Structure formats: structure tokens, C-alpha cells
Amino acid sequence: IRAPELNWDDFTGLAVTNTVIVVMNNDPEEESLPFAGKTRLWYGRWDYKYEQARRVGAAGCFIIHTTPSAGYPWSVVQTSWTGEQFDLPAAPGEKQLQVKGWLTEAVTRKLFAITGKDLDQLRASASSKKFTPVPLGVTVSTAFTSVVASKTTGNVIGVLRGSDEKLKQDFVVYTAHHDHLGRKEGAASGEDAIFNGAVDNASGVSALISIARVMKSLPKAPRRSVIFAAVAAEEQGLLGSQYFVEHPPVPIARMIANINIDGLNIWGRTRDVSVIGLGKSSLDDTLRTLAKTQGRTVMPDALSDRGFFYRSDQFNFAKKGVPAAYFSSGQQFIGRPDGWGRKQRELWEGTHYHQPSDEVRDDWDLSGALEDVQLFLELGVSVANAVSAPVWVKGDEFEKLR
């Protein structure tokens, strides 16, 4: 982690040029340290790790996988990182990592043991501000036969022009990613090899289209304009939304809010709404008011240790200073005991997340999804018609970017 804003730099006085580094996939959780305790920040995400390794000139970077630190099992790493990998074209003269990879915890222990080092001891010491990375004394030689090619995908964008002559120059931006993982490499004969991505994220795209259709049919368009963007390559590192904000169809300053939809609820109605990143912007207040009309309460993300705010397309808008809303169905499922919803989600993630089995099933209960899509619609209309644009909460990490 290199965070001068927190007076934290794991690389102070250390040259790692042309070396391979092994890193943890989290950020320090101790309450006494200047992070956010159990709540995961971007410092603890895999894309941040690779970016920092690139910036310090490392030749390669391997991330130690654990299910708690990643937020998903090793099987998700295998499916997500097998086969073709994509990135946006590098800027002229920009250095790239030669190797990106993941290591299981068991393999990492064996690697460290070669030189008499203890993984648990090193992980504990790395939580200290005074920690200095430890040379492992291991030399690795690797060779790959790679085919590098340029390919084109697309962000699919529609615009509903606002009805107010002055305010229609401002835009509310809906996003939902339309990509998934393609086909499974090395599938056996007769095996289902297609990553359908029904929940993640065909469901979100269907919501986006439905919201656009309903908003278009309103007797009068919202005062501000609305962009509907089905973005590409989210599963490859939020690339489509990154390109969108780096090559914006309208000035970033004119984008007053992003509303991102990434997966819908397939288990029924809930009494609550889980807001990813609750407390970051004034959009929360609007959500509370709208959720109340549905008889629902707004709650913080029960899985904040997984860093979901930094794992979907709203993050790229936030990095440009655009207040962003991202929510999902809550945890309190009507007619179900406490903890039932979390158990269903964990079962789904362990079985279907980033697997060919993420496909439409007869046992889905979309009554809760319907309420969530209604809430997404009403949030966009409310923000587009509001007197004032949303703002970041004072002191938030993204406030100064606006």
C-alpha cells in the first residue's frame, strides 16, 4: 500500500525494480490504524495491488488468495483468470507488469518455508506502519507463449433528453455491465462451457433497459437528462466504465450522479435495502425517503469487509468525483428467519458466481427484484428532478475530486 494521504508507504526506501512481489489481498483491519477497520477500502483490492506494483516498477506481482480477503473462493479466481485477459491500451511509454498472478494460501506457505519464513508471522507484522517488505531470497524463472491482439468491444449508450431548458445540460448516468466471461477453457466434451452471467449481470442490464423504457414513457421527461450506459469489460477490471469516464460523451462536471446496477435479488422481498458505501453521499437521504414509501429501511452493507464499493462500475465515476449510488436487496427477507438471506447468498457465490451455472432458474423469486428496480427508477427520476445536485459527505475520500 502506498497512501501518502494516510502517511503510509510500504515501499519507503525500498527498490523493487525488476523484482517479483508477493502481496496480501486486503488492507490492515486493526481499528488503531488509519484505514477503516473491517470495512474494505480500495487499498485492499487486487486491482489496486497490481497498479501499485506497476508504479514501483516491479516485474511481476502475485496476490495471496484467501476466501475472506478476496470475498470469494479459489474457484472464482480460476474461472476469472483462465483464458484471455483484457486491458485498455497502455499510454505511450507506460510500463506494464510482465506477470500478474494469484497464489493459493497453501502454495504460499510452501514458498515461504523454502527460505525459513513463516507466512502468519509476516502477515501479522505487515499490519504495522513500520513494516518493511521482506526479501524472500527466491529466484523464479518463467516463460509464457502469449498471443497479444487488439480487440474491440463497446459501451452501448442511450440518452433521454431532459425537459428543463437549463437543467437538461446536466446528466444522471445509469450503468450496468453487459459482459461476462465467455466460454470455459478446457471444458470436457458435453460440459456446459458458456458463462451465461444471468444474475451477473444480465439481470442488471434488463433492469437498465426496463428503467429506460419506463422513463421514456413518462408524460414528461425528467428535468435533467439521463444517460443509460450498458458498459463493457467490467469483469476484466471495470474497463468499460473506465473508458467511459476517460472519454466522456458529455463533460464529467455535467454528470451529477451515477446509479449502478450489478445483479438483482433472486430470493424474494426484503424489509431493508443494503446500500454499498452508505454514508458517502447525499444520495443516501434520497434513498431513505424512497425506500420508506416501500415500507423498507436503508441499512449499511452487511458485507463491508468485501469492498463492494470498489468492485463495480460506480467506482470509476467516484474516482472522477461523481457521487455514485449502488445498492442491493437487504438481508431481512420477508417470511424467512434471520440470517437466511446471507446463507442463500453464500451458497450462490460458492456454487454459481462466475461459473457456467449462473443461468436463469425456475426457482427464482423476482418479487424483491421488482421492488429494487422500482427503487432504482424512482431514485433516478428524483435526482434528475431535484433542485440541487447530490454531494459527497464532508470528509469523504472522493469529496475533493468534485
Side-chain angles (χ1 to χ4, degrees), residues 2 38 90 106 118 127 155 172 197 212 220 307 328-329 335 346 352 367:
R2 307 193 81 182
K38 296 293 184 181
D118 183 271
S127 294
N155 294 330
V172 175
K220 184 177 182 180
S328 64
S329 59
E346 290 175 348
H352 304 301
S367 58

Side-chain angles (χ1 to χ4, degrees), residues 99-318:
V99 179
K100 299 177 184 177
W102 292 74
L103 300 173
T104 65
E105 188 174 24
V107 164
T108 307
R109 289 188 187 280
K110 293 180 181 180
L111 173 65
F112 282 26
I114 290 174
T115 55
K117 294 180 174 60
D118 183 271
L119 174 60
D120 293 326
Q121 289 180 356
L122 283 174
R123 284 196 290 206
S125 61
S127 294
S128 168
K129 192 174 183 179
K130 298 179 180 179
F131 175 75
T132 300
V134 176
L136 293 178
V138 175
T139 299
V140 59
S141 176
T142 61
F144 301 90
T145 300
S146 300
V147 176
V148 180
S150 295
K151 295 189 175 183
T152 302
T153 184
N155 294 330
V156 184
I157 301 170
V159 180
L160 177 64
R161 295 294 177 183
S163 58
D164 186 287
E165 281 302 314
K166 182 178 180 181
L167 292 180
K168 70 180 182 181
Q169 302 302 317
D170 293 336
F171 295 81
V172 175
V173 184
Y174 280 94
T175 49
H177 72 88
H178 66 70
D179 65 303
H180 202 56
L181 300 177
R183 298 182 66 91
K184 183 177 180 180
E185 295 281 330
S189 177
E191 180 183 359
D192 181 4
I194 299 174
F195 290 97
N196 304 281
V199 172
D200 181 21
N201 186 36
S203 68
V205 173
S206 70
L208 181 85
I209 294 171
S210 297
I211 291 167
R213 182 181 295 121
V214 171
M215 207 175 286
K216 173 67 174 175
S217 70
L218 294 175
K220 184 177 182 180
R223 298 171 70 196
R224 293 180 176 86
S225 298
V226 183
I227 293 175
F228 300 92
V231 294
E234 189 266 359
E235 303 291 6
Q236 295 289 337
L238 318 183
L239 301 183
S241 56
Q242 178 185 340
Y243 189 90
F244 182 96
V245 299
E246 291 178 355
H247 305 81
V250 298
I252 288 288
R254 288 294 184 181
M255 299 181 192
I256 68 163
N258 168 240
I259 302 172
N260 185 48
I261 312 173
D262 192 352
L264 293 181
N265 167 19
I266 58 173
W267 298 294
R269 296 176 62 209
T270 63
R271 297 185 183 88
D272 58 335
V273 179
S274 292
V275 176
I276 315 301
L278 183 67
K280 299 188 75 64
S281 80
S282 62
L283 288 166
D284 296 343
D285 296 329
T286 307
L287 265 174
R288 284 191 183 92
T289 300
L290 295 172
K292 188 176 181 179
T293 66
Q294 294 183 332
R296 303 167 75 189
T297 56
V298 165
M299 300 294 289
D301 178 20
L303 303 174
S304 62
D305 59 318
R306 301 189 184 183
F308 283 118
F309 191 84
Y310 311 93
R311 286 172 57 173
S312 194
D313 292 304
Q314 74 286 331
F315 180 40
N316 280 322
F317 288 86

Side-chain angles (χ1 to χ4, degrees), residues 20-24 60-64 103 108 111-112 136:
V20 176
I21 60 177
V22 180
V23 302
M24 297 186 293
C61 178
F62 286 89
I63 295 173
I64 306 168
L103 300 173
T108 307
L111 173 65
F112 282 26
L136 293 178

